[in-house]
Amino acid sequence: AATRKPVASHGEQRVDADGDGPDDRRDGRAVSQTAGAAMSREERWALLAAADGDELIELADTCLAGAREFTVTAPPRAGCVTAQVRDPVRRERFLLGDVFTCSAEVELDGTRGWAMRLGDDRATVLAMAICAAAADPEQAAAVEELCRRVAAREAEREHAEWAELAPTIVEFEEL
């Protein structure tokens, strides 16, 4: 039996990976390169989870247009997943509660893709699974490009948030 390990995703989302991920590579690295370094499967999932639904659906349509075979192995389904977090002070894990998610699994040209997102957007989670399964070099490059755009947007959003908080920071001096 395969052991399952927790894999961090975007925000508070958690997914389980047992080595059979969207790109079916056991080393956990995505097929293509990002800025000279391989993007891990977890990073790719996190960025796809943060992507806009319309972007994912458009990219999934492009991937399907070039596909030879496509099968939905597990149709989108909604359900609850227990969210586990780590207390930042005591460094202990605890169960935060249940979160509402939607998941799906597909096979695109022999490569499996799995996705889970918060909420009940079935079309978007199916599109995310299709993007996760993209193994054709051209399709994988398009998925990586989407991930880079999402990462840039997330970094910009975080920078803006810190810029807004900066004036409220209290600095103490030692006497």
Side-chain angles (χ1 to χ4, degrees), residues 61-82:
D61 286 343
T62 302
C63 291
L64 287 175
R68 294 177 305 281
E69 296 178 40
F70 174 68
T71 307
V72 176
T73 55
R77 62 189 176 276
C80 288
V81 176
T82 302

Side-chain angles (χ1 to χ4, degrees), residues 73-149:
T73 55
R77 62 189 176 276
C80 288
V81 176
T82 302
Q84 184 181 78
V85 296
R86 183 181 300 271
D87 181 311
V89 176
R90 297 182 67 189
R91 310 283 300 153
E92 293 176 353
R93 290 179 182 234
F94 67 94
L95 300 179
L96 180 63
D98 291 336
V99 293
F100 190 62
T101 64
C102 190
S103 63
E105 185 175 358
V106 301
E107 189 169 320
L108 181 69
D109 293 333
T111 303
R112 291 182 5 212
W114 180 84
M116 179 183 283
R117 286 176 64 105
L118 293 175
D120 187 26
D121 189 347
R122 294 166 193 259
T124 300
V125 81
L126 185 60
M128 184 179 161
I130 292 167
C131 291
D136 175 76
E138 211 172 282
Q139 294 172 350
V143 170
E144 296 287 328
E145 177 57 33
L146 173 62
C147 289
R148 281 191 292 274
R149 286 195 317 265

Side-chain angles (χ1 to χ4, degrees), residues 5 7 12 26 31 38 44 47 53 83 91 131 139 145 151:
K5 59 183 179 180
V7 179
E12 294 299 319
R26 298 282 181 205
V31 175
R44 187 176 177 182
L47 292 168
R91 310 283 300 153
C131 291
Q139 294 172 350
E145 177 57 33

Side-chain angles (χ1 to χ4, degrees), residues 3 38 65 97 170:
T3 53
V170 177

